[in-house]
Coordinates of all heavy atoms in Angstrom, one line a residue:
M12 N 125.9 105.3 89.4 CA 124.7 104.6 89.2 C 123.6 105.5 88.5 O 123.4 106.6 88.9 CB 124.1 104.1 90.6 CG 122.8 103.3 90.5 SD 122.1 103.2 92.2 CE 122.8 101.7 92.8
T13 N 122.9 104.9 87.6 CA 121.8 105.7 86.9 C 120.5 105.6 87.7 O 120.4 104.7 88.6 CB 121.5 105.2 85.6 OG1 121.0 103.9 85.7 CG2 122.8 105.2 84.7
L14 N 119.7 106.6 87.6 CA 118.4 106.6 88.4 C 117.6 105.4 88.1 O 116.9 104.8 89.1 CB 117.5 107.8 88.0 CG 117.8 109.1 88.6 CD1 117.0 110.1 88.3 CD2 117.9 109.1 90.2
S15 N 117.6 104.8 86.8 CA 116.8 103.6 86.6 C 117.3 102.5 87.3 O 116.6 101.4 87.4 CB 116.8 103.4 85.1 OG 118.1 103.2 84.6
A16 N 118.5 102.4 87.8 CA 119.1 101.3 88.6 C 118.6 101.3 90.0 O 119.0 100.3 90.7 CB 120.5 101.2 88.3
I17 N 118.0 102.4 90.4 CA 117.7 102.4 91.8 C 116.6 101.5 92.2 O 115.6 101.4 91.4 CB 117.4 103.9 92.3 CG1 118.8 104.6 92.2 CG2 116.8 103.8 93.7 CD1 118.5 106.1 92.4
Q18 N 116.6 100.7 93.3 CA 115.5 99.8 93.7 C 114.5 100.5 94.4 O 114.8 101.4 95.1 CB 116.2 98.6 94.4 CG 117.2 97.7 93.7 CD 116.5 97.2 92.4 OE1 115.5 96.6 92.6 NE2 117.1 97.4 91.3
P19 N 113.2 100.0 94.4 CA 112.2 100.6 95.1 C 112.5 100.8 96.6 O 112.0 101.6 97.2 CB 111.0 99.6 94.8 CG 111.4 99.0 93.6 CD 112.8 98.9 93.5
N20 N 113.2 99.8 97.2 CA 113.5 99.9 98.6 C 114.3 101.1 98.9 O 114.4 101.5 100.1 CB 114.3 98.7 99.0 CG 113.4 97.5 99.2 OD1 112.2 97.6 99.1 ND2 113.9 96.3 99.3
D21 N 114.8 101.8 97.9 CA 115.7 102.9 98.2 C 114.8 104.2 98.1 O 115.4 105.3 98.2 CB 116.8 103.1 97.2 CG 117.8 101.9 97.2 OD1 118.2 101.6 98.5 OD2 118.2 101.3 96.2
M22 N 113.6 104.1 98.0 CA 112.7 105.3 97.8 C 111.7 105.4 99.0 O 111.3 104.4 99.5 CB 112.0 105.1 96.5 CG 112.9 105.3 95.3 SD 112.1 105.4 93.7 CE 111.6 103.7 93.3
A23 N 111.3 106.6 99.2 CA 110.3 107.0 100.2 C 109.4 108.1 99.7 O 110.1 109.2 99.1 CB 111.0 107.2 101.6
L24 N 108.2 108.0 99.8 CA 107.3 109.2 99.4 C 106.9 110.1 100.7 O 106.3 109.5 101.6 CB 106.1 108.7 98.6 CG 105.2 109.7 98.2 CD1 105.9 110.3 96.9 CD2 103.7 109.3 97.9
Y25 N 107.2 111.2 100.7 CA 106.7 112.2 101.7 C 105.4 112.7 101.2 O 105.3 113.1 100.1 CB 107.8 113.3 101.9 CG 109.1 112.8 102.5 CD1 110.0 112.0 101.9 CD2 109.3 112.9 103.9 CE1 111.1 111.5 102.4 CE2 110.4 112.4 104.5 CZ 111.3 111.7 103.8 OH 112.4 111.1 104.5
H26 N 104.5 112.7 102.1 CA 103.1 113.0 101.7 C 102.2 113.3 102.9 O 102.8 113.2 104.1 CB 102.4 111.8 101.1 CG 102.1 110.6 102.0 ND1 100.8 110.1 102.2 CD2 102.9 109.9 102.9 CE1 100.8 109.3 103.1 NE2 102.0 109.2 103.5
Y27 N 100.9 113.6 102.7 CA 99.9 113.6 103.7 C 98.6 113.4 103.1 O 98.5 113.4 102.0 CB 99.9 114.8 104.7 CG 99.8 116.1 104.1 CD1 98.6 116.7 103.6 CD2 100.9 116.9 104.1 CE1 98.5 117.9 103.1 CE2 100.8 118.3 103.6 CZ 99.6 118.8 103.1 OH 99.6 120.1 102.6
D28 N 97.6 112.9 104.0 CA 96.4 112.3 103.5 C 95.5 113.3 102.7 O 95.0 112.9 101.6 CB 95.5 111.8 104.8 CG 96.1 110.6 105.4 OD1 96.9 110.0 104.7 OD2 95.8 110.4 106.5
S29 N 95.4 114.5 103.2 CA 94.4 115.4 102.5 C 94.9 116.0 101.2 O 94.2 117.0 100.6 CB 94.0 116.5 103.5 OG 95.0 117.3 103.9
C30 N 96.1 115.8 100.8 CA 96.8 116.4 99.7 C 96.4 115.6 98.4 O 96.7 114.4 98.2 CB 98.3 116.4 99.9 SG 99.1 116.8 98.3
P31 N 95.7 116.3 97.4 CA 95.2 115.6 96.2 C 96.4 115.1 95.4 O 96.2 114.1 94.7 CB 94.3 116.6 95.6 CG 94.8 118.0 96.0 CD 95.1 117.7 97.5
F32 N 97.3 115.8 95.4 CA 98.6 115.5 94.5 C 99.2 114.4 95.0 O 99.7 113.3 94.3 CB 99.5 116.7 94.4 CG 98.8 118.0 93.9 CD1 98.5 119.0 94.8 CD2 98.8 118.1 92.6 CE1 98.0 120.1 94.4 CE2 98.0 119.3 92.1 CZ 97.6 120.3 93.0
C33 N 99.2 114.1 96.5 CA 99.7 112.9 97.2 C 98.8 111.8 96.9 O 99.4 110.6 96.5 CB 99.8 113.2 98.6 SG 100.8 114.6 99.1
A34 N 97.5 111.9 96.8 CA 96.6 110.9 96.5 C 96.9 110.4 95.1 O 96.9 109.1 94.9 CB 95.1 111.4 96.7
K35 N 97.0 111.2 94.1 CA 97.2 110.9 92.7 C 98.6 110.1 92.7 O 98.7 109.0 91.9 CB 97.4 112.1 92.0 CG 97.5 111.9 90.4 CD 97.6 113.2 89.7 CE 98.9 113.9 89.8 NZ 99.0 115.1 88.8
T36 N 99.6 110.5 93.4 CA 100.9 109.8 93.4 C 100.8 108.5 94.2 O 101.3 107.5 93.5 CB 102.0 110.7 94.0 OG1 102.0 111.9 93.5 CG2 103.3 110.1 93.9
R37 N 100.1 108.3 95.2 CA 99.9 107.0 95.9 C 99.1 106.1 95.0 O 99.4 104.9 95.1 CB 99.2 107.3 97.3 CG 100.0 108.0 98.3 CD 99.3 107.8 99.8 NE 98.0 108.3 99.7 CZ 97.5 109.5 100.0 NH1 98.4 110.4 100.4 NH2 96.3 109.8 99.9
H38 N 98.2 106.6 94.3 CA 97.4 105.8 93.3 C 98.4 105.2 92.2 O 98.2 104.0 92.0 CB 96.3 106.7 92.8 CG 95.4 105.9 91.8 ND1 94.4 105.1 92.4 CD2 95.3 105.8 90.5 CE1 93.7 104.5 91.3 NE2 94.3 104.9 90.2
A39 N 99.1 105.9 91.8 CA 100.0 105.5 90.7 C 101.0 104.4 91.4 O 101.4 103.5 90.7 CB 100.9 106.7 90.1
I40 N 101.6 104.7 92.6 CA 102.4 103.8 93.2 C 101.7 102.4 93.4 O 102.2 101.3 93.1 CB 102.9 104.2 94.5 CG1 103.9 105.4 94.3 CG2 103.5 103.2 95.4 CD1 104.3 106.1 95.6
N41 N 100.5 102.4 93.7 CA 99.5 101.2 93.9 C 99.5 100.5 92.5 O 99.6 99.3 92.5 CB 98.2 101.5 94.6 CG 98.3 101.8 96.0 OD1 99.3 101.4 96.7 ND2 97.5 102.5 96.6
E42 N 99.1 101.4 91.6 CA 98.9 100.8 90.3 C 100.2 100.0 89.7 O 100.0 99.1 89.0 CB 98.6 101.9 89.3 CG 97.4 101.7 88.3 CD 97.1 103.0 87.7 OE1 98.1 103.7 87.2 OE2 96.0 103.2 87.5
L43 N 101.2 100.6 89.9 CA 102.5 100.1 89.5 C 103.0 98.9 90.5 O 104.1 98.3 90.1 CB 103.6 101.2 89.4 CG 103.4 102.2 88.4 CD1 104.3 103.5 88.6 CD2 103.6 101.6 87.0
D44 N 102.3 98.8 91.5 CA 102.6 97.7 92.4 C 104.0 97.7 93.0 O 104.8 96.9 93.1 CB 102.5 96.3 91.7 CG 102.2 95.1 92.9 OD1 101.8 95.5 93.9 OD2 102.6 94.0 92.4
L45 N 104.4 99.1 93.4 CA 105.7 99.3 94.0 C 105.6 99.3 95.5 O 104.6 99.9 96.1 CB 106.3 100.7 93.5 CG 106.5 100.8 91.9 CD1 106.8 102.2 91.5 CD2 107.6 99.8 91.6
N46 N 106.6 98.9 96.1 CA 106.7 98.8 97.6 C 107.6 100.0 98.0 O 108.7 99.9 98.3 CB 107.3 97.4 98.0 CG 107.4 97.3 99.5 OD1 106.6 98.1 100.2 ND2 108.3 96.5 100.0
I47 N 106.9 101.1 98.1 CA 107.7 102.4 98.6 C 107.1 102.9 99.8 O 105.8 103.0 100.1 CB 107.4 103.5 97.5 CG1 108.1 103.0 96.1 CG2 107.9 104.8 97.9 CD1 107.9 104.0 95.0
E48 N 108.0 103.1 100.8 CA 107.6 103.5 102.1 C 107.0 104.9 102.0 O 107.4 105.9 101.4 CB 108.9 103.6 102.9 CG 108.6 104.0 104.5 CD 109.8 104.3 105.2 OE1 111.0 103.9 104.8 OE2 109.6 104.9 106.4
L49 N 105.8 105.0 102.8 CA 105.2 106.3 102.8 C 105.5 107.0 104.1 O 105.4 106.5 105.2 CB 103.6 106.1 102.7 CG 103.1 105.4 101.4 CD1 101.6 105.2 101.5 CD2 103.5 106.2 100.2
R50 N 105.8 108.3 104.0 CA 106.1 109.1 105.2 C 105.4 110.3 105.3 O 105.5 111.3 104.6 CB 107.7 109.4 105.1 CG 108.6 108.3 105.2 CD 110.1 108.5 105.2 NE 110.9 107.4 105.1 CZ 112.2 107.3 104.9 NH1 112.9 108.4 104.7 NH2 112.9 106.2 105.0
N51 N 104.4 110.1 106.3 CA 103.5 111.2 106.4 C 103.9 112.4 107.3 O 104.2 112.1 108.5 CB 102.2 110.6 107.2 CG 101.0 111.5 107.2 OD1 101.1 112.7 107.4 ND2 99.8 111.0 106.8
I52 N 104.2 113.5 106.7 CA 104.8 114.6 107.5 C 103.7 115.3 108.4 O 104.3 116.1 109.1 CB 105.4 115.6 106.4 CG1 104.4 116.4 105.6 CG2 106.4 115.0 105.5 CD1 104.8 117.6 105.0
Q53 N 102.5 115.0 108.3 CA 101.6 115.6 109.2 C 101.6 114.7 110.5 O 101.2 115.2 111.7 CB 100.2 115.8 108.7 CG 100.0 117.0 107.8 CD 98.6 117.2 107.2 OE1 97.9 116.2 107.1 NE2 98.3 118.4 106.9
K54 N 101.8 113.4 110.3 CA 101.7 112.5 111.5 C 103.0 112.3 112.2 O 103.1 111.8 113.3 CB 101.1 111.1 111.1 CG 99.7 111.2 110.5 CD 99.1 109.9 110.3 CE 97.5 110.0 110.0 NZ 97.1 108.9 109.4
N55 N 104.1 112.6 111.4 CA 105.5 112.4 112.0 C 106.3 113.6 111.8 O 106.8 113.8 110.7 CB 106.1 111.2 111.3 CG 107.4 110.7 111.9 OD1 108.2 111.6 112.3 ND2 107.7 109.4 112.0
H56 N 106.7 114.3 112.9 CA 107.3 115.5 112.8 C 108.8 115.3 112.3 O 109.3 116.2 111.6 CB 107.4 116.2 114.1 CG 108.0 117.6 114.1 ND1 107.4 118.7 113.4 CD2 109.1 118.1 114.7 CE1 108.2 119.7 113.5 NE2 109.2 119.4 114.3
Q57 N 109.3 114.2 112.6 CA 110.7 113.9 112.0 C 110.7 113.9 110.6 O 111.7 114.3 109.8 CB 111.2 112.6 112.8 CG 112.6 112.2 112.4 CD 113.6 113.4 112.9 OE1 113.4 114.0 114.0 NE2 114.5 113.7 112.1
H58 N 109.7 113.3 110.0 CA 109.7 113.2 108.5 C 109.5 114.5 107.9 O 110.1 114.8 106.9 CB 108.4 112.4 108.1 CG 108.5 110.9 108.4 ND1 109.7 110.2 108.5 CD2 107.6 109.9 108.6 CE1 109.5 109.0 108.8 NE2 108.2 108.6 108.9
R59 N 108.8 115.4 108.5 CA 108.8 116.8 108.0 C 110.1 117.4 108.1 O 110.5 118.2 107.1 CB 107.7 117.6 108.9 CG 107.8 119.1 108.6 CD 106.7 119.9 109.5 NE 105.4 119.7 109.1 CZ 104.8 120.3 107.9 NH1 105.5 121.3 107.4 NH2 103.5 119.9 107.7
I60 N 110.8 117.3 109.2 CA 112.1 117.9 109.3 C 113.1 117.3 108.2 O 113.8 118.1 107.5 CB 112.7 117.7 110.7 CG1 111.9 118.4 111.8 CG2 114.3 117.9 110.7 CD1 112.3 118.1 113.2
E61 N 113.0 115.9 108.0 CA 113.9 115.3 106.9 C 113.6 116.0 105.6 O 114.5 116.3 104.8 CB 113.5 113.9 106.8 CG 114.0 112.9 107.9 CD 113.2 111.6 108.0 OE1 112.5 111.4 107.0 OE2 113.3 111.0 109.1
L62 N 112.3 116.2 105.4 CA 111.9 116.6 104.1 C 112.5 118.1 103.9 O 113.0 118.5 102.8 CB 110.4 116.7 103.9 CG 109.9 117.2 102.6 CD1 110.4 116.5 101.3 CD2 108.3 117.2 102.6
Q63 N 112.3 118.9 105.0 CA 112.6 120.3 104.8 C 114.2 120.4 104.7 O 114.7 121.3 103.9 CB 112.2 121.0 106.3 CG 112.8 122.4 106.4 CD 112.2 123.4 105.5 OE1 111.0 123.7 105.4 NE2 113.0 124.0 104.6
Q64 N 114.8 119.6 105.5 CA 116.4 119.7 105.5 C 116.9 119.0 104.2 O 118.0 119.5 103.6 CB 116.9 119.0 106.6 CG 116.7 119.8 108.0 CD 117.2 119.2 109.2 OE1 117.7 118.1 109.2 NE2 117.2 120.0 110.2
G65 N 116.3 118.0 103.7 CA 116.9 117.3 102.6 C 116.4 117.9 101.2 O 117.3 118.1 100.4
G66 N 115.1 118.2 101.2 CA 114.7 118.8 99.9 C 114.6 120.3 99.8 O 114.4 120.9 98.8
N67 N 114.7 120.9 101.0 CA 114.8 122.4 101.1 C 113.5 123.0 101.1 O 113.3 124.2 101.1 CB 115.7 123.0 100.1 CG 117.1 122.8 100.4 OD1 117.5 122.8 101.6 ND2 117.9 122.6 99.3
K68 N 112.3 122.3 101.1 CA 110.9 122.8 101.2 C 110.1 121.6 101.7 O 110.4 120.4 101.4 CB 110.5 123.4 100.0 CG 110.5 122.7 98.7 CD 110.0 123.4 97.5 CE 110.1 122.5 96.2 NZ 109.8 123.2 95.0
T69 N 108.9 122.0 102.3 CA 108.1 121.0 102.8 C 106.8 120.7 101.9 O 105.8 120.1 102.3 CB 107.5 121.4 104.1 OG1 106.9 122.7 104.1 CG2 108.6 121.5 105.2
Q70 N 107.0 121.1 100.6 CA 105.9 120.8 99.6 C 105.9 119.2 99.6 O 106.9 118.6 99.4 CB 106.2 121.4 98.2 CG 105.2 121.2 97.1 CD 105.6 121.7 95.8 OE1 105.8 122.9 95.8 NE2 105.7 121.0 94.9
V71 N 104.7 118.7 99.4 CA 104.4 117.3 99.2 C 103.5 117.2 97.9 O 102.7 118.1 97.5 CB 103.8 116.5 100.3 CG1 104.6 116.4 101.5 CG2 102.3 117.3 100.8
P72 N 103.5 116.1 97.2 CA 104.4 115.0 97.4 C 105.9 115.1 97.0 O 106.2 115.9 96.2 CB 103.9 113.8 96.5 CG 103.3 114.6 95.4 CD 102.7 115.9 96.0
C73 N 106.8 114.4 97.6 CA 108.1 114.4 97.4 C 108.8 113.0 97.5 O 108.5 112.4 98.5 CB 108.9 115.5 98.2 SG 110.7 115.5 97.8
L74 N 109.4 112.6 96.4 CA 110.0 111.2 96.4 C 111.5 111.3 96.8 O 112.3 112.1 96.2 CB 109.9 110.6 95.0 CG 110.4 109.1 94.9 CD1 109.5 108.2 95.8 CD2 110.4 108.6 93.5
R75 N 111.8 110.7 97.8 CA 113.3 110.6 98.3 C 113.9 109.5 97.5 O 113.4 108.4 97.7 CB 113.5 110.5 99.7 CG 114.9 110.5 100.2 CD 115.2 110.1 101.6 NE 116.5 110.3 102.0 CZ 117.4 109.2 101.8 NH1 117.0 108.2 101.3 NH2 118.6 109.4 102.2
I76 N 114.9 109.7 96.7 CA 115.5 108.5 96.0 C 116.9 108.4 96.5 O 117.8 109.2 96.3 CB 115.6 108.9 94.5 CG1 114.2 109.3 94.0 CG2 116.2 107.7 93.7 CD1 114.2 109.9 92.6
G77 N 117.1 107.4 97.3 CA 118.4 107.1 97.9 C 119.4 106.5 96.9 O 119.1 105.9 96.0
Q78 N 120.7 107.0 97.1 CA 121.7 106.4 96.2 C 122.7 105.6 97.0 O 122.8 105.8 98.2 CB 122.4 107.6 95.5 CG 121.5 108.4 94.6 CD 122.1 109.7 94.2 OE1 121.4 110.5 93.6 NE2 123.2 110.1 94.6
S79 N 123.4 104.6 96.2 CA 124.3 103.8 97.0 C 125.5 104.6 97.6 O 126.0 104.0 98.5 CB 124.9 102.8 96.0 OG 125.5 103.6 94.8
N80 N 125.8 105.8 97.3 CA 126.8 106.6 97.9 C 126.3 107.3 99.2 O 127.0 108.1 99.9 CB 127.5 107.5 97.0 CG 126.4 108.6 96.5 OD1 125.4 108.6 97.0 ND2 126.8 109.5 95.5
G81 N 125.1 106.9 99.6 CA 124.5 107.5 100.7 C 123.8 108.8 100.6 O 123.1 109.3 101.5
K82 N 124.0 109.4 99.5 CA 123.3 110.6 99.2 C 121.8 110.5 98.6 O 121.6 109.2 98.3 CB 124.0 111.5 98.2 CG 125.4 111.9 98.6 CD 126.1 112.9 97.7 CE 127.4 113.4 98.4 NZ 128.3 114.2 97.5
A83 N 121.0 111.4 98.5 CA 119.7 111.3 98.0 C 119.3 112.3 97.2 O 119.7 113.5 97.2 CB 118.8 111.3 99.3
Q84 N 118.5 111.9 96.2 CA 117.8 113.0 95.4 C 116.3 113.3 96.0 O 115.7 112.2 96.3 CB 117.7 112.4 94.0 CG 119.1 112.4 93.2 CD 119.0 112.6 91.7 OE1 117.9 112.4 91.2 NE2 120.1 113.1 91.2
W85 N 115.9 114.4 95.9 CA 114.5 114.8 96.3 C 113.8 115.2 95.1 O 114.0 116.4 94.5 CB 114.6 115.9 97.5 CG 115.4 115.2 98.6 CD1 116.7 115.2 98.7 CD2 114.8 114.8 99.8 NE1 117.1 114.6 99.9 CE2 115.9 114.4 100.6 CE3 113.6 114.5 100.4 CZ2 115.8 113.8 101.9 CZ3 113.4 114.0 101.6 CH2 114.3 113.7 102.3
L86 N 112.8 114.4 94.7 CA 112.0 114.7 93.5 C 110.6 115.3 93.9 O 109.9 114.5 94.4 CB 111.9 113.5 92.6 CG 111.2 113.6 91.2 CD1 111.8 114.6 90.3 CD2 111.1 112.2 90.6
Y87 N 110.3 116.6 93.5 CA 109.1 117.1 93.8 C 108.2 117.1 92.5 O 108.7 116.6 91.5 CB 109.3 118.7 94.2 CG 109.8 118.8 95.5 CD1 111.2 119.0 95.8 CD2 109.0 118.8 96.7 CE1 111.8 119.1 97.0 CE2 109.6 119.0 97.9 CZ 111.0 119.2 98.1 OH 111.5 119.3 99.4
E88 N 107.0 117.5 92.6 CA 106.0 117.5 91.6 C 105.4 116.1 91.3 O 106.1 115.2 90.7 CB 106.6 118.1 90.3 CG 106.9 119.6 90.3 CD 105.7 120.5 90.7 OE1 104.7 120.1 90.2 OE2 105.8 121.4 91.4
S89 N 104.1 116.0 91.5 CA 103.5 114.7 91.4 C 103.6 114.2 90.0 O 103.9 112.9 89.8 CB 102.0 114.8 91.7 OG 101.3 115.9 91.0
G90 N 103.6 115.0 89.0 CA 103.6 114.5 87.5 C 105.0 114.0 87.3 O 105.2 112.9 86.6
D91 N 106.0 114.7 87.8 CA 107.4 114.2 87.5 C 107.7 112.9 88.4 O 108.4 112.0 87.8 CB 108.4 115.3 88.1 CG 108.4 116.6 87.1 OD1 107.9 116.5 86.0 OD2 108.9 117.7 87.6
I92 N 107.2 112.9 89.5 CA 107.4 111.6 90.3 C 106.7 110.3 89.6 O 107.4 109.4 89.4 CB 106.7 111.8 91.8 CG1 107.4 112.8 92.5 CG2 106.8 110.4 92.5 CD1 106.7 113.2 93.8
I93 N 105.4 110.6 89.1 CA 104.8 109.5 88.4 C 105.5 109.0 87.2 O 105.7 108.0 86.9 CB 103.3 109.9 88.2 CG1 102.6 110.0 89.5 CG2 102.6 108.9 87.3 CD1 101.2 110.7 89.6
N94 N 105.9 110.1 86.4 CA 106.6 109.8 85.2 C 108.0 109.1 85.5 O 108.3 108.1 84.8 CB 107.1 111.1 84.5 CG 105.9 111.6 83.7 OD1 105.0 110.9 83.3 ND2 106.0 112.9 83.3
F95 N 108.6 109.5 86.6 CA 110.0 108.8 87.0 C 109.6 107.3 87.3 O 110.3 106.4 86.7 CB 110.5 109.5 88.0 CG 111.6 108.8 88.7 CD1 113.0 108.7 88.2 CD2 111.4 108.1 90.0 CE1 113.9 107.9 88.7 CE2 112.4 107.4 90.6 CZ 113.6 107.3 89.9
L96 N 108.5 107.1 88.1 CA 108.2 105.7 88.4 C 107.8 104.9 87.3 O 108.1 103.6 87.1 CB 107.1 105.7 89.6 CG 107.6 106.4 90.9 CD1 106.5 106.5 91.9 CD2 108.8 105.7 91.5
R97 N 106.9 105.4 86.4 CA 106.4 104.6 85.2 C 107.6 104.3 84.3 O 107.8 103.3 83.8 CB 105.5 105.5 84.5 CG 104.2 105.7 85.2 CD 103.0 105.7 84.2 NE 101.7 105.5 84.9 CZ 100.9 106.5 85.2 NH1 101.0 107.6 84.5 NH2 99.7 106.3 85.9
N98 N 108.6 105.3 84.1 CA 109.6 105.0 83.2 C 110.7 104.1 83.6 O 111.4 103.5 82.9 CB 110.4 106.4 82.8 CG 109.5 107.3 82.0 OD1 108.6 106.7 81.3 ND2 109.7 108.6 82.0
R99 N 110.7 103.9 85.0 CA 111.8 103.0 85.5 C 111.3 101.6 85.6 O 112.0 100.6 86.0 CB 112.4 103.5 86.8 CG 111.3 103.6 87.9 CD 112.1 104.0 89.2 NE 113.0 102.9 89.6 CZ 112.7 101.8 90.0 NH1 111.6 101.3 90.2 NH2 113.8 100.8 90.4
K100 N 109.9 101.4 85.5 CA 109.3 100.0 85.5 C 109.9 99.1 84.5 O 110.2 99.4 83.4 CB 107.8 100.1 85.3 CG 107.0 100.1 86.7 CD 107.2 98.9 87.4 CE 106.0 98.0 87.5 NZ 105.9 97.0 88.6
Ligands
GSH11 N1 102.4 121.0 91.5 C1 102.6 120.3 92.7 C2 101.6 120.8 93.8 C3 101.8 120.3 95.1 C4 101.1 120.9 96.3 O1 100.5 122.0 96.0 N2 101.2 120.5 97.4 C5 100.6 121.1 98.6 C6 99.7 120.2 99.4 S1 98.2 119.7 98.4 C7 101.7 121.5 99.6 O2 102.6 120.8 99.9 N3 101.7 122.8 100.1 C8 102.6 123.3 101.1 C9 103.8 123.8 100.6 O3 104.0 123.9 99.4 O4 104.7 123.8 101.4 C10 102.3 118.8 92.4 O5 101.8 118.4 91.5 O6 103.0 118.1 93.2

């Protein structure tokens, strides 16, 4: 499956409120009218652990892109996340 075939329901954004790069990314998600689950790593410790174990670092924002084979890609960098979301629209 190509990345462009992945549905929005397969994605989740790891973020927190006071991070400006997260705010920029959430703004783009709203603008694109995408229904992407937001996982706040400051409010939910389990989300922090998922991000650390899955992506190997706790930097936010990070977009988890689930794949049909059960594996996931972890996309860091707000600019890369926004480009990815814009290009797959
Ligand atoms: N260049 C990155 C910067 C992201 C960044 O600096 N995130 C900060 C929060 S505002 C962070 O997660 N710092 C903690 C860490 O790197 O573990 C982007 O545009 O996404």
Side-chain angles (χ1 to χ4, degrees):
M12 181 196 273
T13 62
L14 278 183
S15 60
I17 293 172
Q18 296 304 305
N20 284 347
D21 297 315
M22 296 191 273
L24 185 77
Y25 289 77
H26 76 118
Y27 52 75
D28 292 342
S29 62
C30 163
F32 306 98
C33 299
K35 186 175 83 169
T36 307
R37 289 193 307 268
H38 182 76
I40 288 172
N41 286 338
E42 225 174 40
L43 293 166
D44 201 21
L45 294 171
N46 182 23
I47 294 179
E48 183 188 345
L49 299 178
R50 297 183 178 168
N51 188 316
I52 68 163
Q53 283 184 333
K54 293 187 174 163
N55 185 321
H56 188 62
Q57 188 56 39
H58 291 335
R59 171 179 286 275
I60 292 170
E61 288 161 14
L62 178 59
Q63 172 70 62
Q64 292 182 346
N67 287 324
K68 54 182 178 178
T69 54
Q70 180 181 304
V71 288
C73 179
L74 185 69
R75 181 188 185 279
I76 308 166
Q78 296 170 179
S79 55
N80 63 5
K82 293 189 176 168
Q84 291 208 334
W85 298 79
L86 182 61
Y87 288 93
E88 293 299 325
S89 53
D91 291 344
I92 295 169
I93 292 168
N94 280 340
F95 168 74
L96 294 174
R97 288 218 168 108
N98 290 336
R99 62 175 301 287
K100 262 298 253 197

